[in-house]
Short mmCIF file of all heavy atoms in Angstrom, two decimals:
data_model
loop_
_atom_site.label_atom_id
_atom_site.label_comp_id
_atom_site.label_asym_id
_atom_site.label_seq_id
_atom_site.Cartn_x
_atom_site.Cartn_y
_atom_site.Cartn_z
N GLU A 1 -30.13 -3.35 48.90
CA GLU A 1 -29.27 -3.58 50.07
C GLU A 1 -27.91 -2.91 49.85
O GLU A 1 -27.36 -2.94 48.73
CB GLU A 1 -29.08 -5.08 50.29
CG GLU A 1 -30.30 -5.82 50.80
CD GLU A 1 -30.61 -5.48 52.25
OE1 GLU A 1 -29.65 -5.17 53.00
OE2 GLU A 1 -31.79 -5.50 52.62
N PRO A 2 -27.32 -2.31 50.88
CA PRO A 2 -26.07 -1.54 50.70
C PRO A 2 -24.90 -2.37 50.19
O PRO A 2 -24.02 -1.82 49.52
CB PRO A 2 -25.80 -0.97 52.09
CG PRO A 2 -26.62 -1.80 53.04
CD PRO A 2 -27.82 -2.23 52.27
N ASN A 3 -24.87 -3.67 50.48
CA ASN A 3 -23.76 -4.50 50.03
C ASN A 3 -23.96 -5.09 48.63
O ASN A 3 -23.04 -5.67 48.07
CB ASN A 3 -23.51 -5.64 51.02
CG ASN A 3 -22.85 -5.17 52.29
OD1 ASN A 3 -22.07 -4.22 52.27
ND2 ASN A 3 -23.15 -5.83 53.40
N THR A 4 -25.18 -4.96 48.09
CA THR A 4 -25.45 -5.51 46.76
C THR A 4 -24.85 -4.59 45.70
O THR A 4 -25.19 -3.42 45.62
CB THR A 4 -26.95 -5.66 46.51
OG1 THR A 4 -27.51 -6.52 47.51
CG2 THR A 4 -27.22 -6.26 45.14
N GLN A 5 -23.96 -5.15 44.88
CA GLN A 5 -23.33 -4.37 43.81
C GLN A 5 -23.65 -5.06 42.48
O GLN A 5 -23.24 -6.20 42.26
CB GLN A 5 -21.83 -4.25 44.04
CG GLN A 5 -21.51 -3.45 45.31
CD GLN A 5 -20.04 -3.14 45.48
OE1 GLN A 5 -19.17 -3.74 44.84
NE2 GLN A 5 -19.73 -2.17 46.33
N HIS A 6 -24.38 -4.37 41.64
CA HIS A 6 -24.88 -5.00 40.41
C HIS A 6 -24.88 -4.02 39.27
O HIS A 6 -24.83 -2.79 39.46
CB HIS A 6 -26.28 -5.59 40.63
CG HIS A 6 -27.34 -4.56 40.88
ND1 HIS A 6 -28.43 -4.40 40.05
CD2 HIS A 6 -27.49 -3.63 41.87
CE1 HIS A 6 -29.20 -3.44 40.52
NE2 HIS A 6 -28.65 -2.95 41.61
N ILE A 7 -24.91 -4.56 38.06
CA ILE A 7 -25.01 -3.76 36.84
C ILE A 7 -26.29 -4.19 36.15
O ILE A 7 -26.41 -5.33 35.69
CB ILE A 7 -23.79 -3.97 35.91
CG1 ILE A 7 -22.51 -3.46 36.58
CG2 ILE A 7 -24.00 -3.26 34.58
CD1 ILE A 7 -21.77 -4.51 37.37
N ASP A 8 -27.26 -3.31 36.10
CA ASP A 8 -28.56 -3.57 35.49
C ASP A 8 -28.61 -2.85 34.15
O ASP A 8 -28.68 -1.62 34.09
CB ASP A 8 -29.68 -3.09 36.42
CG ASP A 8 -31.07 -3.37 35.87
OD1 ASP A 8 -31.18 -3.75 34.69
OD2 ASP A 8 -32.05 -3.19 36.62
N GLY A 9 -28.57 -3.59 33.07
CA GLY A 9 -28.50 -3.01 31.74
C GLY A 9 -29.74 -2.28 31.29
O GLY A 9 -29.74 -1.71 30.18
N LEU A 10 -30.79 -2.24 32.12
CA LEU A 10 -32.00 -1.51 31.74
C LEU A 10 -32.05 -0.11 32.33
O LEU A 10 -33.01 0.63 32.08
CB LEU A 10 -33.24 -2.29 32.18
CG LEU A 10 -33.48 -3.63 31.48
CD1 LEU A 10 -34.81 -4.23 31.92
CD2 LEU A 10 -33.44 -3.49 29.95
N VAL A 11 -31.06 0.25 33.15
CA VAL A 11 -31.06 1.57 33.78
C VAL A 11 -29.73 2.26 33.50
O VAL A 11 -28.71 1.60 33.25
CB VAL A 11 -31.31 1.48 35.29
CG1 VAL A 11 -32.65 0.84 35.58
CG2 VAL A 11 -30.19 0.71 35.99
N ASN A 12 -29.73 3.58 33.56
CA ASN A 12 -28.50 4.35 33.39
C ASN A 12 -27.81 4.55 34.74
O ASN A 12 -28.50 4.68 35.76
CB ASN A 12 -28.81 5.71 32.75
CG ASN A 12 -29.19 5.56 31.29
OD1 ASN A 12 -28.61 4.79 30.56
ND2 ASN A 12 -30.20 6.33 30.87
N PRO A 13 -26.48 4.58 34.80
CA PRO A 13 -25.55 4.52 33.65
C PRO A 13 -25.20 3.09 33.21
O PRO A 13 -24.45 2.90 32.27
CB PRO A 13 -24.31 5.21 34.21
CG PRO A 13 -24.30 4.81 35.66
CD PRO A 13 -25.76 4.79 36.07
N ASP A 14 -25.78 2.09 33.90
CA ASP A 14 -25.39 0.70 33.64
C ASP A 14 -25.62 0.27 32.19
O ASP A 14 -24.91 -0.58 31.66
CB ASP A 14 -26.16 -0.25 34.56
CG ASP A 14 -25.92 0.03 36.04
OD1 ASP A 14 -25.38 1.12 36.34
OD2 ASP A 14 -26.26 -0.80 36.87
N ALA A 15 -26.63 0.87 31.55
CA ALA A 15 -26.96 0.49 30.18
C ALA A 15 -25.79 0.71 29.23
O ALA A 15 -25.72 0.09 28.16
CB ALA A 15 -28.18 1.27 29.70
N ASN A 16 -24.84 1.58 29.61
CA ASN A 16 -23.68 1.83 28.76
C ASN A 16 -22.74 0.63 28.69
O ASN A 16 -21.88 0.57 27.81
CB ASN A 16 -22.91 3.04 29.27
CG ASN A 16 -23.70 4.33 29.14
OD1 ASN A 16 -24.47 4.50 28.19
ND2 ASN A 16 -23.54 5.23 30.09
N ALA A 17 -22.91 -0.32 29.61
CA ALA A 17 -22.08 -1.54 29.60
C ALA A 17 -22.66 -2.61 28.69
O ALA A 17 -22.01 -3.64 28.45
CB ALA A 17 -21.93 -2.08 31.02
N ILE A 18 -23.87 -2.38 28.17
CA ILE A 18 -24.57 -3.40 27.38
C ILE A 18 -24.67 -2.93 25.93
O ILE A 18 -24.91 -1.75 25.64
CB ILE A 18 -26.00 -3.63 27.94
CG1 ILE A 18 -25.93 -4.01 29.42
CG2 ILE A 18 -26.73 -4.70 27.14
CD1 ILE A 18 -25.18 -5.28 29.72
N PHE A 19 -24.49 -3.85 25.00
CA PHE A 19 -24.71 -3.53 23.58
C PHE A 19 -25.63 -4.58 22.97
O PHE A 19 -25.74 -5.71 23.46
CB PHE A 19 -23.38 -3.46 22.82
CG PHE A 19 -22.60 -4.76 22.76
CD1 PHE A 19 -22.80 -5.66 21.72
CD2 PHE A 19 -21.66 -5.06 23.74
CE1 PHE A 19 -22.08 -6.85 21.65
CE2 PHE A 19 -20.93 -6.25 23.68
CZ PHE A 19 -21.14 -7.14 22.64
N ARG A 20 -26.31 -4.19 21.91
CA ARG A 20 -27.27 -5.06 21.22
C ARG A 20 -26.69 -5.50 19.87
O ARG A 20 -26.13 -4.69 19.14
CB ARG A 20 -28.59 -4.32 20.99
CG ARG A 20 -29.32 -3.90 22.27
CD ARG A 20 -30.14 -5.01 22.85
NE ARG A 20 -30.87 -4.58 24.05
CZ ARG A 20 -31.75 -5.35 24.69
NH1 ARG A 20 -32.02 -6.58 24.24
NH2 ARG A 20 -32.36 -4.91 25.76
N SER A 21 -26.85 -6.79 19.57
CA SER A 21 -26.42 -7.29 18.27
C SER A 21 -27.57 -7.18 17.28
O SER A 21 -28.73 -7.04 17.67
CB SER A 21 -25.96 -8.74 18.39
OG SER A 21 -27.06 -9.59 18.66
N THR A 22 -27.25 -7.30 16.00
CA THR A 22 -28.27 -7.21 14.96
C THR A 22 -28.59 -8.56 14.34
O THR A 22 -29.44 -8.65 13.44
CB THR A 22 -27.80 -6.25 13.84
OG1 THR A 22 -26.56 -6.74 13.30
CG2 THR A 22 -27.61 -4.84 14.39
N ASP A 23 -27.94 -9.63 14.83
CA ASP A 23 -28.15 -10.94 14.22
C ASP A 23 -29.34 -11.67 14.82
O ASP A 23 -29.69 -12.76 14.35
CB ASP A 23 -26.89 -11.79 14.35
CG ASP A 23 -26.49 -12.02 15.80
OD1 ASP A 23 -26.97 -11.28 16.68
OD2 ASP A 23 -25.66 -12.92 16.06
N ARG A 24 -29.95 -11.12 15.84
CA ARG A 24 -31.17 -11.72 16.41
C ARG A 24 -31.99 -10.63 17.05
O ARG A 24 -31.49 -9.53 17.36
CB ARG A 24 -30.83 -12.82 17.42
CG ARG A 24 -30.04 -12.33 18.63
CD ARG A 24 -29.89 -13.43 19.69
NE ARG A 24 -28.97 -14.46 19.25
CZ ARG A 24 -28.58 -15.47 20.02
NH1 ARG A 24 -29.06 -15.60 21.25
NH2 ARG A 24 -27.73 -16.36 19.58
N SER A 25 -33.25 -10.93 17.31
CA SER A 25 -34.16 -9.92 17.84
C SER A 25 -34.15 -9.92 19.36
O SER A 25 -33.74 -10.90 20.00
CB SER A 25 -35.58 -10.16 17.32
OG SER A 25 -36.02 -11.46 17.68
N ALA A 26 -34.61 -8.82 19.94
CA ALA A 26 -34.75 -8.72 21.39
C ALA A 26 -35.79 -9.73 21.86
O ALA A 26 -36.71 -10.07 21.10
CB ALA A 26 -35.16 -7.30 21.77
N PRO A 27 -35.70 -10.26 23.06
CA PRO A 27 -34.77 -9.84 24.11
C PRO A 27 -33.45 -10.62 24.14
O PRO A 27 -32.69 -10.48 25.10
CB PRO A 27 -35.57 -10.13 25.37
CG PRO A 27 -36.33 -11.38 25.02
CD PRO A 27 -36.69 -11.24 23.57
N HIS A 28 -33.19 -11.42 23.11
CA HIS A 28 -32.02 -12.32 23.15
C HIS A 28 -30.80 -11.75 22.43
O HIS A 28 -30.00 -12.50 21.88
CB HIS A 28 -32.39 -13.68 22.55
CG HIS A 28 -33.46 -14.40 23.30
ND1 HIS A 28 -33.34 -14.74 24.62
CD2 HIS A 28 -34.68 -14.85 22.91
CE1 HIS A 28 -34.43 -15.37 25.02
NE2 HIS A 28 -35.26 -15.44 24.00
N ASN A 29 -30.65 -10.44 22.44
CA ASN A 29 -29.53 -9.86 21.70
C ASN A 29 -28.72 -8.87 22.54
O ASN A 29 -28.04 -8.00 22.00
CB ASN A 29 -30.03 -9.17 20.43
CG ASN A 29 -30.94 -7.98 20.71
OD1 ASN A 29 -31.43 -7.81 21.83
ND2 ASN A 29 -31.18 -7.16 19.69
N ALA A 30 -28.79 -8.99 23.85
CA ALA A 30 -28.06 -8.08 24.74
C ALA A 30 -26.80 -8.76 25.26
O ALA A 30 -26.85 -9.88 25.79
CB ALA A 30 -28.95 -7.66 25.90
N TYR A 31 -25.68 -8.06 25.14
CA TYR A 31 -24.38 -8.62 25.54
C TYR A 31 -23.58 -7.56 26.30
O TYR A 31 -23.87 -6.37 26.23
CB TYR A 31 -23.58 -9.07 24.32
CG TYR A 31 -24.30 -10.08 23.46
CD1 TYR A 31 -25.14 -9.65 22.41
CD2 TYR A 31 -24.17 -11.44 23.69
CE1 TYR A 31 -25.81 -10.58 21.63
CE2 TYR A 31 -24.85 -12.37 22.91
CZ TYR A 31 -25.66 -11.93 21.88
OH TYR A 31 -26.34 -12.84 21.11
N ALA A 32 -22.56 -8.04 26.99
CA ALA A 32 -21.65 -7.14 27.70
C ALA A 32 -20.22 -7.49 27.30
O ALA A 32 -19.92 -8.62 26.93
CB ALA A 32 -21.82 -7.27 29.21
N SER A 33 -19.35 -6.50 27.39
CA SER A 33 -17.92 -6.73 27.23
C SER A 33 -17.23 -6.52 28.57
O SER A 33 -17.73 -5.76 29.42
CB SER A 33 -17.32 -5.79 26.19
OG SER A 33 -17.36 -4.44 26.65
N GLY A 34 -16.10 -7.16 28.74
CA GLY A 34 -15.37 -6.99 29.99
C GLY A 34 -14.95 -5.56 30.21
O GLY A 34 -15.07 -5.02 31.32
N SER A 35 -14.49 -4.91 29.16
CA SER A 35 -14.04 -3.52 29.30
C SER A 35 -15.20 -2.61 29.63
O SER A 35 -15.07 -1.67 30.44
CB SER A 35 -13.34 -3.07 28.01
OG SER A 35 -14.23 -3.16 26.90
N GLY A 36 -16.38 -2.85 29.02
CA GLY A 36 -17.55 -2.03 29.31
C GLY A 36 -18.01 -2.20 30.75
O GLY A 36 -18.38 -1.22 31.42
N LEU A 37 -17.99 -3.44 31.25
CA LEU A 37 -18.38 -3.69 32.63
C LEU A 37 -17.39 -3.04 33.59
O LEU A 37 -17.79 -2.42 34.59
CB LEU A 37 -18.45 -5.19 32.89
CG LEU A 37 -19.59 -5.93 32.21
CD1 LEU A 37 -19.44 -7.45 32.39
CD2 LEU A 37 -20.95 -5.49 32.74
N GLU A 38 -16.10 -3.15 33.30
CA GLU A 38 -15.10 -2.56 34.19
C GLU A 38 -15.27 -1.04 34.26
O GLU A 38 -15.13 -0.43 35.33
CB GLU A 38 -13.70 -2.92 33.73
CG GLU A 38 -12.62 -2.38 34.65
CD GLU A 38 -11.22 -2.82 34.25
OE1 GLU A 38 -11.07 -3.52 33.23
OE2 GLU A 38 -10.27 -2.44 34.98
N SER A 39 -15.58 -0.43 33.12
CA SER A 39 -15.77 1.02 33.10
C SER A 39 -16.92 1.44 34.01
O SER A 39 -16.80 2.41 34.79
CB SER A 39 -16.03 1.48 31.66
OG SER A 39 -16.29 2.87 31.61
N ILE A 40 -18.04 0.72 33.94
CA ILE A 40 -19.20 1.05 34.77
C ILE A 40 -18.90 0.76 36.24
O ILE A 40 -19.30 1.52 37.14
CB ILE A 40 -20.44 0.28 34.30
CG1 ILE A 40 -20.86 0.77 32.91
CG2 ILE A 40 -21.59 0.43 35.29
CD1 ILE A 40 -21.24 2.25 32.87
N ILE A 41 -18.23 -0.35 36.51
CA ILE A 41 -17.88 -0.70 37.89
C ILE A 41 -17.04 0.41 38.52
O ILE A 41 -17.28 0.83 39.66
CB ILE A 41 -17.12 -2.04 37.92
CG1 ILE A 41 -18.10 -3.19 37.66
CG2 ILE A 41 -16.40 -2.24 39.25
CD1 ILE A 41 -17.44 -4.52 37.39
N ARG A 42 -16.07 0.92 37.77
CA ARG A 42 -15.24 2.01 38.29
C ARG A 42 -16.05 3.30 38.42
O ARG A 42 -15.90 4.05 39.40
CB ARG A 42 -14.03 2.22 37.38
CG ARG A 42 -13.05 1.06 37.39
CD ARG A 42 -11.81 1.36 36.57
NE ARG A 42 -10.89 0.25 36.51
CZ ARG A 42 -10.00 -0.05 37.45
NH1 ARG A 42 -9.93 0.70 38.56
NH2 ARG A 42 -9.18 -1.08 37.32
N GLN A 43 -16.93 3.56 37.45
CA GLN A 43 -17.75 4.77 37.49
C GLN A 43 -18.67 4.77 38.71
O GLN A 43 -18.92 5.84 39.31
CB GLN A 43 -18.57 4.87 36.20
CG GLN A 43 -19.43 6.12 36.10
CD GLN A 43 -20.18 6.18 34.77
OE1 GLN A 43 -19.80 5.55 33.79
NE2 GLN A 43 -21.27 6.95 34.74
N LYS A 44 -19.17 3.60 39.09
CA LYS A 44 -20.07 3.50 40.24
C LYS A 44 -19.32 3.44 41.56
O LYS A 44 -19.95 3.42 42.63
CB LYS A 44 -20.97 2.26 40.09
CG LYS A 44 -21.87 2.32 38.86
CD LYS A 44 -22.74 1.10 38.72
CE LYS A 44 -23.93 1.14 39.65
NZ LYS A 44 -24.95 0.11 39.32
N GLY A 45 -17.99 3.41 41.50
CA GLY A 45 -17.20 3.42 42.73
C GLY A 45 -17.12 2.08 43.41
O GLY A 45 -16.74 2.00 44.59
N TYR A 46 -17.45 0.99 42.69
CA TYR A 46 -17.33 -0.35 43.26
C TYR A 46 -15.85 -0.75 43.32
O TYR A 46 -15.06 -0.38 42.43
CB TYR A 46 -18.07 -1.38 42.41
CG TYR A 46 -19.58 -1.25 42.38
CD1 TYR A 46 -20.31 -1.88 41.37
CD2 TYR A 46 -20.27 -0.51 43.33
CE1 TYR A 46 -21.69 -1.79 41.33
CE2 TYR A 46 -21.65 -0.41 43.28
CZ TYR A 46 -22.36 -1.05 42.28
OH TYR A 46 -23.72 -0.95 42.23
#
């Protein structure tokens, strides 16, 4: 939908906002930072 604005960490470029930790195994090791999310939000023109 045109009004839906989202960051999906499984697709590019959104995946650049997500990082994986090494202290646990997938799928429970995916995290985001505020700065990373803001960068992608601006990159996508939101």
Side-chain angles (χ1 to χ4, degrees):
E1 289 288 331
N3 286 329
T4 301
Q5 296 188 343
H6 67 119
I7 295 92
D8 182 350
L10 294 185
V11 300
N12 289 319
D14 301 14
N16 294 326
I18 304 298
F19 63 90
R20 297 277 182 175
S21 69
T22 59
D23 60 343
R24 62 173 71 174
S25 58
H28 297 302
N29 64 346
Y31 303 89
S33 67
S35 59
L37 290 172
E38 182 176 2
S39 177
I40 293 298
I41 287 169
R42 293 185 183 277
Q43 183 177 338
K44 297 180 78 167
Y46 293 163

